[in-house]
Amino acid sequence: MTAILSATGDTAAGQRDHLLFTVLYNTGARISEALALRPQDIRGRSLQLHGKGRKTRLVPLWPQTLRRLRRWCQIHALRPDQPVFTNTRGAPLGRSGAAFRLALAVRKAAAQHCHSLRSRNITLHTFRHTTAMHLLQSGVPLEVIALWLGHERPFTTHLYVEADIKLKADCLRRLQPLTPPVCTRQRRGSHLLAFLEAL
């Protein structure tokens, strides 16, 4: 995540990408939810996401994400009902445009900072999975993760537990098994044992 965010660049489009990817990672939002954001969706220290079936949920924001989001809206003089993320022509940024920008950032990150990204398939949905896994690994209860991600069925969230256990099992298989050390020290004879054996 750090390598991808660092690869977005300092241009206006790069700053927009950095903010979009940060919001995706911070909130675990679906890309459709993130692209639908309006300044009016900033509610105190939380962000209101409009999910599937017109369901809404509030997700807390990191202080730095909140500051960047508010500053972005202020710099671009966005009205409360305008889209936060737009393309160079001022139209709402689409899913394909966001995917294209992510692919550029991933390629740049793979070339400069994180060579392991070359063999990975990073999509916009990867941010959502990463958020869920990091919440799970931080000890956040499944019920809270389900609410955070807007899952209707607990089974969907439970898949992350299975993925986490699979990851741990894969790591365990890669480790070399420990073999007990061979004791080469010879035991000294015991005077008591010698006495008893002599009886």
Side-chain angles (χ1 to χ4, degrees), residues 69-173:
L69 195 52
R70 283 185 170 153
R71 181 142 174 77
W72 179 266
C73 295
Q74 183 182 18
I75 288 171
H76 293 87
L78 297 178
R79 294 189 313 272
D81 61 341
Q82 280 187 289
V84 172
F85 301 109
T86 57
N87 60 25
T88 53
R89 296 181 303 279
L93 183 66
R95 184 188 298 261
S96 60
F100 175 75
R101 295 298 298 179
L102 175 61
L104 288 178
V106 170
R107 275 200 300 274
K108 186 175 176 184
Q112 294 179 350
H113 309 293
C114 191
H115 302 299
S116 64
L117 285 172
R118 291 176 181 166
S119 59
R120 306 281 306 277
N121 180 30
I122 308 295
T123 67
L124 294 164
H125 206 70
T126 303
F127 288 95
R128 187 168 164 82
H129 292 315
T130 304
T131 303
M133 291 301 287
H134 286 175
L135 288 170
L136 180 65
Q137 291 164 354
S138 298
V140 176
L142 277 179
E143 298 82 8
V144 175
I145 297 173
L147 288 171
W148 192 296
L149 298 178
H151 286 162
E152 290 183 5
R153 296 176 299 162
F155 173 76
T156 309
T157 315
H158 187 74
L159 293 174
Y160 291 108
V161 175
E162 293 177 9
D164 191 42
I165 291 170
K166 183 180 180 303
L167 285 173
K168 289 174 182 173
D170 289 345
C171 290
L172 186 64
R173 279 194 290 279

